Amino acid sequence: MDIVELRSDTFTRPTPEMRKAMADAELGDDVWGEDPTAISLQEHCAGLFGMEAGLFVPSGTMGNEAALKALTNPGDDVIAESRSHVVLYEHGAPAVISGVVLRLIDGPNGRLSVDAVAEMIASANEHTSRPTLVWQENTHNMSGGRVIPLEHLAAVARVAHEGGARAFLDGARIFNASVASGVPVRAYGAEVDALSFCFSKGLGAPVGSMLLGSSEFIDRARIVRQMLGGGMRQVGLLCAAARVAVDTMVERLAEDHENAQVLAHGIADALPGSVDPAEVETNMVFVDLPGLDVEEIVRSMWDEGVRMAALGPTRIRAVTSKEVDRAGIDRAIAAFGQAVRGSNAVRDAAVAV
Ligand code: TLP
């Protein structure tokens, strides 16, 4: 049975063109700064985002953590939205690696309130510590892959800068944001001091992320990457696939966004109120199932070859990617409908009526 993989866009596998580029890549020792394929990718990506320099890192998590350490000193405060990846999914690394304190703000749709950030920075005095970094995420994963509009991102960065703090962007899926909004990635890059993005999600490369910023920042980040064991030798092998990803896989993200829309509508038809398709802006569909047995529904879909991820007791996440075509989406909708109709809770409710 073909699997319809919707747990994450991290499941994407490299294209034949990526494998060929890997086989043909010109290589050197990147810890010595001599891998031509890595150098060329870093320069190319810096150019795309209008930044001075770039650094290839093994993962989005390492990119985030190396950036944090390069941009802060131990004891600093960092403002972040409370459901950001850096807050929820990096196992306390900001505290362990950088010794920073995350100051959290709940942001509807992943957006930090400009006023809340300004107030947090302004209230610093000799008694309260001063935030030195403001962290944004675009698209914002845990709010359902929502796009942070450029003007909002810029307004948050502006109050950070006015308060003497720097602005960072976790742009793991910045190309999804760009394709969905029509805003070039360069425009996002212009608003922040540094950013990271991933090759290994919707863009389909097997491994890797890019850190971008000033040359001074990248020099510091390179040392942190080494400290974390992320200095890799003939890394051009991976950079070659990443280059194919940025060169050929960006525009097709629109297809993933369309598929997410179709999926959201299908799920909303099967179970009205569980998802609002108007809130699906990119490749993620969050489905709310209060009162239903989420584990049972996920298992039932799994038996039909459809994989979605349970996000806690009442919610499911489905992420579209190049691994799933329209026929796969149709199968996912059918499997969801069947799972919900077969769910104990729905059956019990029907009996009660
Ligand atoms: N996100 C993964 C999981 O870790 C949750 C996923 O399946 O969505 N920033 C953001 C916004 C991310 O969504 C992720 C991965 C990362 C950073 C980390 O990237 P990796 O997995 O390369 O360390």
Side-chain angles (χ1 to χ4, degrees), residues 16 27 29 98 110 131 146 163 167 177 179 185 213 223 225 234 250 279-280 283 289 295 301 304 333 335 345 353:
L27 304 174
D29 189 328
S98 299
R146 299 300 292 261
V179 165
V185 289
I223 292 169
R225 183 186 71 172
Q234 286 72 43
V250 171
E279 291 183 358
V280 174
N283 66 333
L289 302 168
E295 290 298 334
M301 289 193 286
E304 298 300 315
I333 293 168
V353 171

mmCIF file of all heavy atoms in Angstrom, residues 16 27 29 98 110 131 146 163 167 177 179 185 213 223 225 234 250 279-280 283 289 295 301 304 333 335 345 353:
data_model
loop_
_atom_site.group_PDB
_atom_site.id
_atom_site.type_symbol
_atom_site.label_atom_id
_atom_site.label_comp_id
_atom_site.label_asym_id
_atom_site.label_seq_id
_atom_site.Cartn_x
_atom_site.Cartn_y
_atom_site.Cartn_z
ATOM 1 N N PRO A 16 15.761 12.909 -7.722
ATOM 2 C CA PRO A 16 16.863 12.329 -8.511
ATOM 3 C C PRO A 16 17.923 13.386 -8.851
ATOM 4 O O PRO A 16 19.121 13.107 -8.826
ATOM 5 C CB PRO A 16 16.158 11.823 -9.774
ATOM 6 C CG PRO A 16 14.743 11.567 -9.344
ATOM 7 C CD PRO A 16 14.430 12.588 -8.286
ATOM 8 N N LEU A 27 34.326 18.686 -3.822
ATOM 9 C CA LEU A 27 34.391 18.671 -2.356
ATOM 10 C C LEU A 27 35.744 19.120 -1.804
ATOM 11 O O LEU A 27 36.766 19.010 -2.477
ATOM 12 C CB LEU A 27 34.097 17.248 -1.847
ATOM 13 C CG LEU A 27 32.767 16.631 -2.294
ATOM 14 C CD1 LEU A 27 32.678 15.175 -1.838
ATOM 15 C CD2 LEU A 27 31.588 17.429 -1.763
ATOM 16 N N ASP A 29 37.597 20.223 2.492
ATOM 17 C CA ASP A 29 37.353 20.137 3.941
ATOM 18 C C ASP A 29 36.744 21.454 4.412
ATOM 19 O O ASP A 29 37.424 22.484 4.469
ATOM 20 C CB ASP A 29 38.665 19.848 4.673
ATOM 21 C CG ASP A 29 38.422 19.538 6.140
ATOM 22 O OD1 ASP A 29 37.464 20.103 6.726
ATOM 23 O OD2 ASP A 29 39.182 18.732 6.719
ATOM 24 N N SER A 98 23.232 28.507 25.829
ATOM 25 C CA SER A 98 23.519 29.949 25.824
ATOM 26 C C SER A 98 23.302 30.601 27.175
ATOM 27 O O SER A 98 23.687 31.756 27.367
ATOM 28 C CB SER A 98 22.631 30.656 24.788
ATOM 29 O OG SER A 98 22.895 30.146 23.498
ATOM 30 N N GLY A 110 0.766 33.305 15.971
ATOM 31 C CA GLY A 110 2.226 33.310 16.014
ATOM 32 C C GLY A 110 2.839 34.701 16.007
ATOM 33 O O GLY A 110 4.056 34.846 16.007
ATOM 34 N N PRO A 131 15.929 42.596 27.667
ATOM 35 C CA PRO A 131 15.991 41.683 26.511
ATOM 36 C C PRO A 131 16.992 42.204 25.478
ATOM 37 O O PRO A 131 16.995 43.390 25.151
ATOM 38 C CB PRO A 131 14.567 41.708 25.958
ATOM 39 C CG PRO A 131 13.715 42.205 27.081
ATOM 40 C CD PRO A 131 14.586 43.161 27.847
ATOM 41 N N ARG A 146 1.030 29.579 10.012
ATOM 42 C CA ARG A 146 0.558 30.912 9.620
ATOM 43 C C ARG A 146 1.721 31.781 9.159
ATOM 44 O O ARG A 146 2.846 31.664 9.660
ATOM 45 C CB ARG A 146 -0.138 31.611 10.805
ATOM 46 C CG ARG A 146 -1.349 30.880 11.327
ATOM 47 C CD ARG A 146 -2.435 30.706 10.292
ATOM 48 N NE ARG A 146 -3.063 31.961 9.921
ATOM 49 C CZ ARG A 146 -4.230 32.395 10.409
ATOM 50 N NH1 ARG A 146 -4.898 31.680 11.288
ATOM 51 N NH2 ARG A 146 -4.757 33.536 9.999
ATOM 52 N N GLY A 163 14.760 49.532 21.054
ATOM 53 C CA GLY A 163 15.076 49.242 22.448
ATOM 54 C C GLY A 163 16.476 48.668 22.624
ATOM 55 O O GLY A 163 16.811 48.144 23.681
ATOM 56 N N ALA A 167 17.087 41.520 16.242
ATOM 57 C CA ALA A 167 15.927 40.770 15.754
ATOM 58 C C ALA A 167 16.407 39.556 14.989
ATOM 59 O O ALA A 167 17.249 39.662 14.091
ATOM 60 C CB ALA A 167 15.085 41.659 14.839
ATOM 61 N N ALA A 177 6.339 30.935 3.447
ATOM 62 C CA ALA A 177 5.764 32.260 3.720
ATOM 63 C C ALA A 177 5.862 33.133 2.476
ATOM 64 O O ALA A 177 4.914 33.834 2.112
ATOM 65 C CB ALA A 177 6.494 32.912 4.897
ATOM 66 N N VAL A 179 6.165 32.228 -0.769
ATOM 67 C CA VAL A 179 5.296 31.773 -1.863
ATOM 68 C C VAL A 179 3.834 32.114 -1.546
ATOM 69 O O VAL A 179 3.087 32.564 -2.420
ATOM 70 C CB VAL A 179 5.489 30.256 -2.112
ATOM 71 C CG1 VAL A 179 4.382 29.683 -2.968
ATOM 72 C CG2 VAL A 179 6.851 30.012 -2.753
ATOM 73 N N VAL A 185 11.901 36.675 -0.361
ATOM 74 C CA VAL A 185 12.609 36.383 0.901
ATOM 75 C C VAL A 185 13.569 37.516 1.274
ATOM 76 O O VAL A 185 13.827 37.765 2.449
ATOM 77 C CB VAL A 185 13.367 35.032 0.859
ATOM 78 C CG1 VAL A 185 12.389 33.873 0.885
ATOM 79 C CG2 VAL A 185 14.322 34.930 -0.307
ATOM 80 N N GLY A 213 23.445 36.284 7.990
ATOM 81 C CA GLY A 213 23.543 37.531 8.757
ATOM 82 C C GLY A 213 24.796 38.286 8.347
ATOM 83 O O GLY A 213 25.336 38.078 7.247
ATOM 84 N N ILE A 223 32.140 29.439 14.940
ATOM 85 C CA ILE A 223 32.838 28.914 16.127
ATOM 86 C C ILE A 223 31.859 28.104 16.992
ATOM 87 O O ILE A 223 32.176 27.023 17.471
ATOM 88 C CB ILE A 223 33.480 30.068 16.921
ATOM 89 C CG1 ILE A 223 34.615 30.661 16.091
ATOM 90 C CG2 ILE A 223 33.974 29.599 18.287
ATOM 91 C CD1 ILE A 223 35.175 31.956 16.615
ATOM 92 N N ARG A 225 29.158 26.605 15.929
ATOM 93 C CA ARG A 225 28.870 25.358 15.200
ATOM 94 C C ARG A 225 29.959 24.331 15.486
ATOM 95 O O ARG A 225 29.681 23.148 15.705
ATOM 96 C CB ARG A 225 28.789 25.652 13.687
ATOM 97 C CG ARG A 225 28.419 24.444 12.850
ATOM 98 C CD ARG A 225 28.496 24.717 11.351
ATOM 99 N NE ARG A 225 29.877 24.861 10.893
ATOM 100 C CZ ARG A 225 30.243 24.961 9.607
ATOM 101 N NH1 ARG A 225 29.317 24.971 8.659
ATOM 102 N NH2 ARG A 225 31.517 25.083 9.269
ATOM 103 N N GLN A 234 33.537 16.948 4.226
ATOM 104 C CA GLN A 234 33.171 17.143 2.814
ATOM 105 C C GLN A 234 31.662 17.394 2.724
ATOM 106 O O GLN A 234 30.894 16.660 2.098
ATOM 107 C CB GLN A 234 33.593 15.946 1.962
ATOM 108 C CG GLN A 234 35.103 15.919 1.720
ATOM 109 C CD GLN A 234 35.896 15.552 2.974
ATOM 110 O OE1 GLN A 234 35.507 14.639 3.704
ATOM 111 N NE2 GLN A 234 36.993 16.253 3.237
ATOM 112 N N VAL A 250 11.316 25.746 -4.900
ATOM 113 C CA VAL A 250 10.585 26.805 -4.193
ATOM 114 C C VAL A 250 9.196 27.026 -4.789
ATOM 115 O O VAL A 250 8.189 26.984 -4.077
ATOM 116 C CB VAL A 250 11.398 28.121 -4.194
ATOM 117 C CG1 VAL A 250 10.559 29.274 -3.659
ATOM 118 C CG2 VAL A 250 12.668 27.951 -3.348
ATOM 119 N N GLU A 279 -8.081 29.638 7.641
ATOM 120 C CA GLU A 279 -6.888 29.813 8.484
ATOM 121 C C GLU A 279 -5.690 29.013 7.968
ATOM 122 O O GLU A 279 -4.609 29.065 8.537
ATOM 123 C CB GLU A 279 -7.211 29.402 9.924
ATOM 124 C CG GLU A 279 -8.166 30.386 10.573
ATOM 125 C CD GLU A 279 -8.461 30.063 12.018
ATOM 126 O OE1 GLU A 279 -7.947 29.046 12.523
ATOM 127 O OE2 GLU A 279 -9.225 30.841 12.620
ATOM 128 N N VAL A 280 -5.924 28.247 6.920
ATOM 129 C CA VAL A 280 -4.821 27.455 6.343
ATOM 130 C C VAL A 280 -4.146 28.308 5.280
ATOM 131 O O VAL A 280 -4.703 28.532 4.209
ATOM 132 C CB VAL A 280 -5.371 26.135 5.745
ATOM 133 C CG1 VAL A 280 -4.270 25.371 5.021
ATOM 134 C CG2 VAL A 280 -5.972 25.279 6.856
ATOM 135 N N ASN A 283 1.233 25.114 4.223
ATOM 136 C CA ASN A 283 1.153 23.664 3.995
ATOM 137 C C ASN A 283 0.727 22.882 5.232
ATOM 138 O O ASN A 283 0.949 21.686 5.299
ATOM 139 C CB ASN A 283 2.496 23.133 3.467
ATOM 140 C CG ASN A 283 3.614 23.245 4.488
ATOM 141 O OD1 ASN A 283 3.578 24.115 5.361
ATOM 142 N ND2 ASN A 283 4.614 22.385 4.380
ATOM 143 N N LEU A 289 -10.198 18.263 17.511
ATOM 144 C CA LEU A 289 -11.146 17.160 17.705
ATOM 145 C C LEU A 289 -11.527 17.008 19.178
ATOM 146 O O LEU A 289 -11.394 15.923 19.750
ATOM 147 C CB LEU A 289 -10.504 15.852 17.212
ATOM 148 C CG LEU A 289 -10.064 15.828 15.739
ATOM 149 C CD1 LEU A 289 -9.196 14.616 15.451
ATOM 150 C CD2 LEU A 289 -11.274 15.836 14.828
ATOM 151 N N GLU A 295 -6.053 9.587 19.411
ATOM 152 C CA GLU A 295 -5.147 8.454 19.168
ATOM 153 C C GLU A 295 -5.839 7.401 18.301
ATOM 154 O O GLU A 295 -5.256 6.834 17.381
ATOM 155 C CB GLU A 295 -4.713 7.804 20.497
ATOM 156 C CG GLU A 295 -3.779 8.661 21.349
ATOM 157 C CD GLU A 295 -2.451 8.960 20.648
ATOM 158 O OE1 GLU A 295 -2.031 8.173 19.786
ATOM 159 O OE2 GLU A 295 -1.841 10.014 20.963
ATOM 160 N N MET A 301 -6.578 5.918 10.691
ATOM 161 C CA MET A 301 -6.059 6.421 9.409
ATOM 162 C C MET A 301 -4.775 5.686 9.033
ATOM 163 O O MET A 301 -4.539 5.365 7.870
ATOM 164 C CB MET A 301 -5.802 7.938 9.502
ATOM 165 C CG MET A 301 -7.085 8.749 9.559
ATOM 166 S SD MET A 301 -6.793 10.518 9.302
ATOM 167 C CE MET A 301 -6.066 11.001 10.848
ATOM 168 N N GLU A 304 -5.153 2.693 7.154
ATOM 169 C CA GLU A 304 -5.489 2.934 5.742
ATOM 170 C C GLU A 304 -4.292 3.505 4.977
ATOM 171 O O GLU A 304 -4.423 3.934 3.830
ATOM 172 C CB GLU A 304 -6.666 3.923 5.637
ATOM 173 C CG GLU A 304 -7.957 3.433 6.268
ATOM 174 C CD GLU A 304 -8.452 2.133 5.634
ATOM 175 O OE1 GLU A 304 -8.445 2.033 4.402
ATOM 176 O OE2 GLU A 304 -8.809 1.212 6.397
ATOM 177 N N ILE A 333 -8.552 12.427 2.925
ATOM 178 C CA ILE A 333 -9.889 12.923 3.292
ATOM 179 C C ILE A 333 -10.826 11.734 3.551
ATOM 180 O O ILE A 333 -11.567 11.709 4.545
ATOM 181 C CB ILE A 333 -10.447 13.830 2.166
ATOM 182 C CG1 ILE A 333 -9.605 15.107 2.064
ATOM 183 C CG2 ILE A 333 -11.921 14.175 2.425
ATOM 184 C CD1 ILE A 333 -9.875 15.935 0.810
ATOM 185 N N ALA A 335 -9.969 8.692 4.429
ATOM 186 C CA ALA A 335 -9.559 7.969 5.650
ATOM 187 C C ALA A 335 -9.965 8.747 6.896
ATOM 188 O O ALA A 335 -10.374 8.152 7.903
ATOM 189 C CB ALA A 335 -8.045 7.747 5.636
ATOM 190 N N ALA A 345 -16.336 7.775 20.269
ATOM 191 C CA ALA A 345 -17.065 8.917 20.832
ATOM 192 C C ALA A 345 -18.254 9.287 19.947
ATOM 193 O O ALA A 345 -19.349 9.554 20.441
ATOM 194 C CB ALA A 345 -16.115 10.101 20.974
ATOM 195 N N VAL A 353 -28.297 9.693 21.295
ATOM 196 C CA VAL A 353 -29.410 10.394 20.628
ATOM 197 C C VAL A 353 -30.502 9.374 20.341
ATOM 198 O O VAL A 353 -31.633 9.487 20.647
ATOM 199 C CB VAL A 353 -28.920 11.021 19.288
ATOM 200 C CG1 VAL A 353 -30.121 11.555 18.506
ATOM 201 C CG2 VAL A 353 -27.948 12.153 19.586
#
